[in-house]
Amino acid sequence: TFRRTAGVHFADISVPGSNGIDLVEHSGPSVSPPDRDRRPQWYVHAHQIDNNRVIHGFRLFELFNPNWNDKHWFVFLTAESGALEIPAGCYHRSYSGKDGSLLINHAIRTKGYDETTEFVPRLLPIVDQFPSHYYGITANEVELFITQGYLYE
């Protein structure tokens, strides 16, 4: 926050090195990429670092990175969370609840970036072999958010 006035909040949300800005809207309950034949699909970018910042609603990210000690994460974002950096090579998918969500991605695209290859959904059958970890949400809340579209009964 660099300035506040009555009812107004000004924030510098720039990301150093960002050379792409994506506005991603989920209108109602959504998952991206969508499941295929009831199996989860994932995005993984070879030449893009994502910096996702929710500006309206709630977004749940599921991350799997074979290079991390704790490989499988669920991260819950709100407008107050700040940006979630997803490095190149990290498999990811996101969920919105019943009210949808809107986010801005300040992408950092490197040499070799090609939109036709960076956004091809992939199956990743090994995720269930690793324990899940949680940031900003519990395991029970993840289940409720994904299946019902909200956090609390």
Side-chain angles (χ1 to χ4, degrees), residues 9-130:
H9 169 209
F10 295 88
D12 178 358
I13 61 169
S14 61
V15 173
S18 173
N19 55 2
I21 299 176
D22 306 317
L23 184 65
V24 185
E25 180 180 9
H26 287 187
S27 57
S30 303
V31 60
S32 179
D35 291 349
R36 184 174 77 194
D37 300 325
R38 297 185 187 164
R39 295 183 302 168
Q41 295 192 102
W42 301 76
Y43 289 125
V44 61
H45 305 308
H47 302 283
Q48 177 170 297
I49 299 166
D50 289 341
N51 291 280
N52 290 299
R53 179 184 303 272
V54 170
I55 55 177
H56 179 73
F58 307 102
R59 187 75 63 102
L60 174 65
F61 278 87
E62 185 175 5
L63 309 170
F64 182 84
N65 192 325
N67 299 315
W68 292 344
N69 289 333
D70 297 326
K71 298 178 182 336
H72 185 219
W73 283 89
F74 288 94
V75 178
F76 190 71
L77 297 181
T78 69
E80 291 78 36
S81 298
L84 171 64
E85 181 181 304
I86 302 175
C90 182
Y91 293 82
H92 59 283
R93 51 193 275 120
S94 68
Y95 307 84
S96 287
K98 63 184 180 101
D99 297 324
S101 66
L102 187 63
L103 73 72
I104 245 178
N105 177 20
H106 290 264
I108 299 171
R109 296 176 177 143
T110 59
K111 186 177 181 177
Y113 173 84
D114 179 347
E115 197 169 299
T116 64
T117 58
E118 292 287 328
F119 295 93
V120 177
R122 293 172 168 79
L123 296 173
L124 187 63
I126 64 169
V127 172
D128 293 340
Q129 299 172 19
F130 296 91

